[in-house]
């Protein structure tokens, strides 16, 4: 096996999970109680939204692929909670958590899953293709690694326009072996682009463990060295640590216009997608261990209880509210209409959808 | 009117658009310091500087994808591919990303990107460098494809492409780069989706695009001189959108059609045009539709044979006479 003897993992991951070593980091102490509670609420909302999706999928209302984010909540929550006006993000197909974090509503997210016209993409994208450009969220992309060059382009545009901003381009641990990702790394480093490549390392690409897919020098982030990029490894079960280390990368992007690769160690509780029976490549004990010891939502909950930011009653109320919101979203999706047959041929071309004095193209563009 | 080359016409289009809109950026391999692999972008770096004219590494998936991402935020990149043949390593970006994002986002995002470069055989460079992917790409809703045959159209179509808010892929031809023609100095565009009758005739319609137009015009001359036949040549200029009306109007007049293109025969642009004619003007036809395409094989290296693999004037004349028989 190509796995090196010395693994470069986050220090905090080498010890049993306890109170966060990053609670005192300025980026976290800067949070008010209200902001901390809001961050926890967002993580709980992702958790309950995803779990509600399972039921709807099992009822046969969600088609295609459904990749759940359960277990990985602290990654999207920690990173996105830091973003400002000119910070953009783009990810792969495991994209619900990011969508909810940027402020997409459960309703539009759920309706998209069931292919309804009230969905964020009017039923044209599905689970893997959420978009909210008004919230700087550029998708939701189904081809592994294909979003990395796009994210690099978003960072390029931010820099071109002279804005102090960045792009966070997320991908999985399997995606790092795509050529497009390496091309993006090279361009980002070559042109000093304000981008953070966030590798959400959940240990598996579908049913292939990282050991079986990837030759690496101790960790995946270290590949950045080949391009002269900064990198870091992060314990993705601890939202405070995610925030603390991502903040440094953001600073690098904002102040120096330099790229970073962050590898965030995380874990997914369910199969790769709902189509994965999850029986062949990992044992139940492993999943149980993560659930019991390293659950990012529970760990943050404990943290906030200890900090007296939240009471047990408040925690319960937050979770109940999130469940109720997911229920309402399910009902909303149920009650929403499908797109029409006429809708099939809309949103293909800007020029067709915006015919007017400013458009010049003519001729037949949609064929019989 | 000034007479300039196809290459200069393309450059003029870029210069004018660079001046008109500061969001326009030229990007590609060797476009800046080297002045362009075919000198299409010659002098632009000097005039506009390195922010607007950007040399990229040999990394088509990376830089084309970057251009598409930048276009989502409102930059208007004009990307040069050294050959459209190299688009194949960036196919995911070109098709899945540029072509689908508007649709998958329910119209929230658009990609106003232009990708341009030569797509032609006939240059003795072998199979990997001689692809003509206009039909492949035009078969994807969400993508627009144009193929200028003359300097006038090269400038007008490229300017229209740069102003268009959808992805437009401009397929040029290295053999045409030195062709000269009248090109106005002033601002004009050739709208996408408007074909051009390059020669008026009454007995036979030839539909062609790209360099096949030039070949067809030469054949039409011979057909007139030596066979007394009056041929109309319709230059598609734009593959998608497609000017169906101009094709049909010509066929309704001549009642006979020959389709000429430099693509390989299987599912070429002519397949779409032939379908159109038979479905909308079947009763107008006095003879079956014929076509001339490249001989169906990977592009051969040997120059003598490659010239015969491509549609040449003789083959077009021969096939025209069959349609007229
Ligand atoms: C180019 C491409 N190849 C294969 C697939 C099928 N596929 C979808 S997700 C996936 C695994 C990716 O794993 P990873 O990058 O670790 O992300 P994760 O699913 O763990 O979030 C595969 C093989 C795809 N969507 N795109
Ligand atoms: Mg993975």
């Amino acid at each position: 096996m190509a796995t090196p003897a010395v693994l470069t993992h986050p220090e905090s991951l080498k010890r049993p999970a306890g109170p966060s070593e990053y609670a005192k980091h300025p980026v976290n102490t800067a949070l008010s109680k209200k902001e901390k509670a809001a961050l926890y609420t967002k993580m709980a909302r992702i958790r309950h939204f995803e779990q509600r999706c399972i039921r709807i999928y099992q009822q046969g209302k969600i088609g295609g692929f459904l990749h759940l984010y359960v277990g990985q909540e602290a990654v999207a929550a920690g990173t996105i909670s830091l973003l400002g006006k000119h910070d953009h993000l783009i990810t792969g197909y495991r994209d619900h958590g990011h969508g909810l974090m940027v402020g997409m509503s459960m309703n539009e997210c759920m309706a998209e899953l069931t292919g309804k016209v009230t969905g964020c993409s009017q039923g044209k994208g599905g689970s893997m293709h959420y978009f909210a450009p008004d919230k700087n969220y550029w998708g939701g992309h189904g081809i592994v690694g294909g979003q990395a060059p796009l994210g690099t382009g978003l960072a390029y545009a931010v820099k071109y326009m002279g804005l102090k901003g960045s792009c966070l381009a997320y991908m999985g641990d399997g995606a790092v072996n795509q050529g497009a990702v390496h091309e993006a790394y090279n361009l980002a480093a070559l042109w000093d682009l304000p981008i953070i490549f966030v590798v959400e390392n959940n240990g598996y690409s579908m049913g292939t463990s990282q050991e079986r897919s990837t030759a690496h020098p101790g960790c995946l982030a270290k590949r950045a060295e080949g391009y002269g990029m900064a990198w870091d490894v992060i314990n993705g079960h601890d939202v405070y640590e995610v925030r603390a280390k991502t903040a440094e990368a953001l600073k690098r992007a904002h102040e120096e216009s330099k790229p970073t690769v962050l590898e965030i160690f995380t874990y997914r509780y369910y199969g790769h997608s709902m189509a994965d029976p999850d029986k062949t490549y990992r044992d139940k004990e492993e999943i149980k261990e993560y659930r019991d010891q390293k659950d990012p939502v529970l760990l943050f909950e404990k943290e906030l209880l200890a900090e007296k930011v939240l009471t047990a009653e408040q925690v319960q109320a937050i979770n109940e509210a999130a469940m109720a919101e997911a229920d309402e979203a399910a009902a909303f999706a149920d009650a929403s209409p499908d797109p029409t047959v006429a809708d099939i041929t809309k949103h293909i071309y800007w020029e067709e959808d915006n015919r007017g004095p400013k458009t010049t193209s003519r001729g037949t563009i949609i064929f019989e | 009117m000034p007479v300039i080359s196809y290459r200069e016409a393309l450059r003029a289009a870029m210069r004018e658009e660079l001046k008109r809109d500061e969001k326009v950026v030229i990007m590609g391999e060797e476009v800046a310091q080297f002045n362009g692999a075919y000198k299409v972008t010659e002098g632009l770096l000097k005039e506009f500087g390195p922010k607007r004219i950007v040399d990229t590494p040999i990394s088509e998936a990376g830089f084309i994808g970057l251009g598409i991402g930048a276009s989502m935020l409102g930059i208007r990149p004009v990307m040069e591919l050294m050959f459209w043949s190299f688009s194949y390593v960036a196919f995911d970006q070109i098709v899945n990303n540029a072509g689908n994002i508007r649709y998958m986002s329910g119209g929230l995002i658009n990609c106003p990107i232009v990708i341009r470069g030569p797509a032609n055989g006939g240059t003795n460079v072998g199979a990997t460098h001689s692809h003509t992917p206009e039909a492949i790409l035009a078969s994807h809703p969400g993508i627009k494809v144009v193929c200028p045959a003359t300097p006038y159209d090269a400038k007008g179509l490229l300017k229209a492409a740069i102003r268009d808010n959808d992805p437009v892929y401009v397929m040029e031809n290295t053999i045409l780069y030195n062709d000269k023609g009248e090109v106005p100095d002033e601002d004009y565009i050739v709208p996408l989706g408007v074909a051009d009758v390059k020669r008026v005739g009454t007995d036979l319609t030839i539909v062609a695009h790209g360099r096949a137009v030039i070949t067809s015009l030469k054949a039409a001359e011979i057909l007139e001189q030596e066979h007394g036949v009056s041929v109309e040549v319709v230059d598609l200029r734009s593959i998608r959108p497609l000017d169906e009306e101009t094709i049909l109007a010509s066929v309704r007049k001549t009642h006979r059609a020959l389709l000429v293109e430099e693509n390989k025969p299987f599912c070429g642009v002519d397949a779409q045009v032939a379908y159109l004619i038979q479905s909308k003007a079947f009763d107008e036809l006095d003879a079956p539709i014929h076509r001339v395409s490249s001989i169906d094989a990977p592009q051969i290296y040997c120059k003598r044979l490659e010239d015969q693999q491509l549609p040449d004037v003789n083959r077009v004349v021969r096939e025209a006479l069959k349609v007229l028989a």
Side-chain angles (χ1 to χ4, degrees), chain A residues 121 124 138 143 146 149 153 156 160 183 187 191 344 346-351 353 361-362 364-365 367, chain B residues 22 27 51-52 59 61-62 66 93 97 102-104 142-144 165-166 192-193 240-242 244 272:
Chain A
S121 299
K124 291 182 161 173
W138 300 91
I143 299 297
Y156 174 88
Y160 186 90
E183 297 194 26
L187 287 165
W191 292 350
I344 295 176
K346 285 185 198 142
H347 305 134
I348 302 172
Y349 295 98
W350 187 94
E351 301 273 329
D353 297 337
S361 77
R362 290 177 235 161
T364 305
I365 192 120
F367 293 83
Chain B
E22 63 175 33
M27 241 187 223
K51 186 178 177 193
R52 311 288 304 281
S59 187
L66 179 150
Q93 300 299 325
N97 288 345
R102 177 169 176 79
Y103 196 72
M104 294 194 304
I143 286 169
K144 297 177 177 178
N165 286 315
D166 296 307
L192 271 56
R240 186 177 188 131
L242 184 67
E244 298 189 329
Q272 182 64 28

Side-chain angles (χ1 to χ4, degrees), chain B residues 57-183:
Chain B
I58 308 158
S59 187
E60 285 81 1
F63 77 76
I64 298 272
L66 179 150
I68 297 164
S71 79
M72 301 193 303
L73 258 187
I75 305 296
R76 304 187 81 92
V78 180
M79 319 295 288
E80 177 171 304
L81 279 170
M82 204 177 277
F83 289 85
W84 266 99
S85 289
F86 304 161
S87 70
Y88 294 11
V89 304
F91 208 64
D92 178 44
Q93 300 299 325
I94 287 173
V95 172
N96 264 323
N97 288 345
N100 287 343
I101 284 177
R102 177 169 176 79
Y103 196 72
M104 294 194 304
S105 67
L108 295 177
I109 300 171
N110 52 308
C111 300
I113 188 167
V114 173
I115 308 177
R116 52 155 291 272
N120 59 282
T123 51
N124 201 201
V125 289
T128 55
H129 287 53
S130 303
H131 290 289
T132 50
E134 63 267 31
I136 301 174
L137 288 167
S139 72
H140 296 87
I143 286 169
K144 297 177 177 178
V145 181
V146 298
C147 299
T150 64
Y152 179 90
D153 292 341
K155 180 174 170 189
L157 284 170
L158 182 53
K159 283 168 70 87
I162 294 170
R163 295 180 196 182
D164 199 281
N165 286 315
D166 296 307
V168 185
Y169 302 160
V170 182
M171 308 213 179
E172 305 159 4
N173 189 311
T174 49
I175 299 174
L176 299 177
Y177 277 151
N178 287 329
D179 278 15
K180 292 214 152 90
E182 288 192 340
V183 176

Side-chain angles (χ1 to χ4, degrees), chain A residues 94-142:
Chain A
R94 202 177 294 284
D95 57 353
H96 305 175
H98 309 74
L100 292 174
M101 268 309 297
V102 299
M104 293 173 78
S105 72
M106 280 198 197
N107 281 1
E108 62 180 313
C109 290
M110 197 65 94
E112 187 60 32
L113 298 182
T114 57
K116 298 302 180 75
V117 74
T118 51
C120 53
S121 299
Q122 302 190 29
K124 291 182 161 173
S127 165
M128 302 190 285
H129 309 116
Y130 280 11
F131 295 88
D134 60 324
K135 301 176 175 70
N136 291 0
Y137 185 32
W138 300 91
H141 294 268

Side-chain angles (χ1 to χ4, degrees), chain A residues 67 72 93-94 142-144 171-176 178 200 202 204-206 268 272:
Chain A
H67 308 86
Q72 302 187 203
Y93 43 83
R94 202 177 294 284
I143 299 297
V144 169
M171 68 189 95
D173 49 291
V176 300
Q178 279 284 17
E200 299 196 44
N202 59 14
Y204 299 90
S205 44
M206 275 184 81
R268 64 166 158 78
H272 165 71

